[in-house]
Amino acid sequence: QVAVLALEAFSSPLPGPSTVDPCRPARHFFRAPEVRAHKQRPLQVRLMPLYEEKFLNPFAIRFSQARIRPTFQDGRVVQESMAEVEAVQWPMENSSEYDVMLRAPFSPISILRWRPKMREQDGTSITNEDGSNILGDACWFTVDNRRLYCLQAAAARHWPRRAACVVHVMRTPPTLRGTPRKFRTTDSGCSVNISRRDDPVPRAIWCWAQATQCGSSGAAPQAATEAGQSALDGVAADQAKEDPDDLTDVPSDLLRLSANLAALAPLPQQTAPLSVDPSRATPSQSSKAPTQAQLAAAWQLRAKQELLQQQQEQAMLRQWHLQQQLTLRHQQMLRQQQVLRQQSQYHQHNAFEDWAAGCRGSGPGGGASGGGWSRHFGGAAPGACSG
């Protein structure tokens, strides 16, 4: 009966004031039936919003982790997905908050307002004198870090155009067990390392402020222009919006509005979005964006290091196999020696049993006793010598 009532609640339209107004912002609801103890009472349905679709500048969203892998879980390369992200003209004519809209080949990222723990470079939490954790400022964070990197890299190619992407705003944090462990950023989500878990050094470090040359120390050519300053002000405005209702709503006919919009070409003055590891960078490289030649040299050096690491791992694996074979042979020799020892003890025990049986049958000094002892041990039996 509970299953039938729940099925009716999901299939029947929402009554009265709970009906969703098509003119309201796009929200996704989950209708959870509240089944009462008495089946005579009417079934009540309440709306539980899971997320809301909004527009937000990808530069206003922070990374929740300090490292991302260069591939997705399905094996696709992150760089290839980043190249597929397109920027089209802003489709909403009644709003001038953004200049372009990012159209991605993947689903929108989920974001939430969060105050992260302040951490050291090694990942340990920073605590007060009383042992409580020090929390950072409330910002927009996401757990979809690889998709956020693709969106930020695509938006950096069109800087200083004000870019926006569709996001799913969650009003409550996810209740999954592993979700809180994802917030391991050490710089409040401003940058992210691109590497695998076993890499000794990151393959690259992404920071949108350095990629657009508007946040690095000593270099701010884009921010000096009027368009660059307007773009920075737009990012700061989106970061300061604490209430999801303050964000720009996604219209229900977004697909129709953006269907005929052509992709815009990236601005030619933008540089490569990836930066080399700062621990390897020279003083001249740390104050400006790396060139294509420097990036190629960094990738070649990284490839040589990976090849050397693979060779070392193969040599260690061969040594481990050889050690395992030697250990196996030693164990086989010990088992063979144990078997021979057991056989010798078994024959000695049988010989003693035969001699004892002969002594009990013919008495001391008997022929059987002497013959049994002489057959198994050689010489005359003790009974015969004493007789």
Side-chain angles (χ1 to χ4, degrees), residues 28 78 93 191 219 228 238 334:
H28 297 262
V78 174
E93 299 179 355
S191 64
D238 282 353
L334 292 179

Side-chain angles (χ1 to χ4, degrees), residues 167-182:
V167 296
H168 291 170
V169 182
M170 296 182 295
R171 292 184 177 270
T172 57
T175 56
L176 297 178
R177 179 180 301 177
T179 301
R181 294 199 298 262
K182 289 182 176 291

Side-chain angles (χ1 to χ4, degrees), residues 310-327:
Q310 291 178 0
Q311 293 177 355
Q312 293 177 354
E313 291 178 354
Q314 292 177 0
M316 293 176 61
L317 185 61
R318 287 194 298 267
Q319 184 178 3
W320 181 80
H321 282 299
L322 180 61
Q323 186 67 25
Q324 292 293 325
Q325 292 178 359
L326 294 177
T327 304

